[in-house]
Amino acid sequence: MTDVTISGAKWMTRGQISKRTGCNAETIRYYERIGVIPPPKRSSAGHRRYSDNDADRVAFVLRSRELGFRLDQVRNLLSLADRGNDSCADVRAMTSAHVASIRSKINDLRRMERVLKDLVAKCEEGTVPACPIIESLYLGDDRLPPI
């Protein structure tokens, strides 16, 4: 299906915007429902009409989500982007806080990895009747580093 021209403007269907952005059509509907992207304009027959700007916003949301921003943060970023030039410091502050959160999660994951590797090292590949991993999970093990 090709883009439809109505009153000189080029419009797309949800399927077309989905194909263009790589975003599932139901996800686009969800983003509309929760207000992350505005509801599309409608033709006189009631058909949804998406613009290039709508596709750009969907792509923005997808990329932001790929970078780990929560939906409330995406809303804030979109709001700041809509404001214009005076928002760069706010975007920088939000992104810096997000980076700090990611670093914290990475540190937590590294600690979990160390603990799990220690548990695996205690296991003798099933040659003892009781599993040291299961026992450690049930009882805890003071010799393992805290998570």
Side-chain angles (χ1 to χ4, degrees), residues 60 64 67 69 73 77 80 87-103:
F60 181 99
S64 299
L67 292 171
F69 286 100
Q73 293 171 313
L77 288 169
L80 291 169
S87 65
C88 191
D90 295 332
V91 172
R92 185 179 195 282
M94 180 185 290
T95 303
S96 293
H98 186 56
V99 168
S101 173
I102 290 170
R103 283 187 183 135

Side-chain angles (χ1 to χ4, degrees), residues 101-117 145-147:
S101 173
I102 290 170
R103 283 187 183 135
S104 176
K105 290 175 185 175
I106 290 170
N107 289 334
D108 289 344
L109 288 169
R110 286 186 177 135
R111 281 192 299 276
M112 288 189 303
E113 179 186 31
R114 281 192 304 272
V115 169
L116 291 170
K117 282 174 68 174
I147 296 176

Side-chain angles (χ1 to χ4, degrees), residues 124-138:
E124 297 177 12
E125 297 186 28
T127 59
V128 294
C131 177
I133 296 173
I134 296 294
E135 287 177 6
S136 293
L137 293 173
Y138 266 116

Side-chain angles (χ1 to χ4, degrees), residues 16-119:
Q16 289 169 318
I17 204 169
S18 171
K19 188 173 185 176
R20 177 172 163 177
T21 63
C23 184
N24 182 290
E26 287 306 310
T27 303
I28 295 170
R29 173 178 265 170
Y30 172 70
Y31 288 158
E32 291 169 16
R33 193 171 53 248
I34 65 170
V36 173
I37 59 173
K41 296 187 183 331
R42 300 258 183 177
S43 69
S44 58
H47 299 285
R48 289 175 180 82
R49 305 183 312 178
Y50 294 91
S51 67
D52 286 337
N53 186 51
D54 293 326
D56 292 345
R57 287 180 82 85
V58 169
F60 181 99
V61 172
L62 285 178
R63 184 67 179 139
S64 299
R65 298 290 289 148
E66 287 172 354
L67 292 171
F69 286 100
R70 298 182 319 267
L71 285 174
D72 62 316
Q73 293 171 313
V74 173
R75 276 192 197 95
N76 288 340
L77 288 169
L78 283 167
S79 174
L80 291 169
D82 291 342
R83 274 188 10 207
N85 295 342
D86 62 338
S87 65
C88 191
D90 295 332
V91 172
R92 185 179 195 282
M94 180 185 290
T95 303
S96 293
H98 186 56
V99 168
S101 173
I102 290 170
R103 283 187 183 135
S104 176
K105 290 175 185 175
I106 290 170
N107 289 334
D108 289 344
L109 288 169
R110 286 186 177 135
R111 281 192 299 276
M112 288 189 303
E113 179 186 31
R114 281 192 304 272
V115 169
L116 291 170
K117 282 174 68 174
D118 289 346
L119 288 173

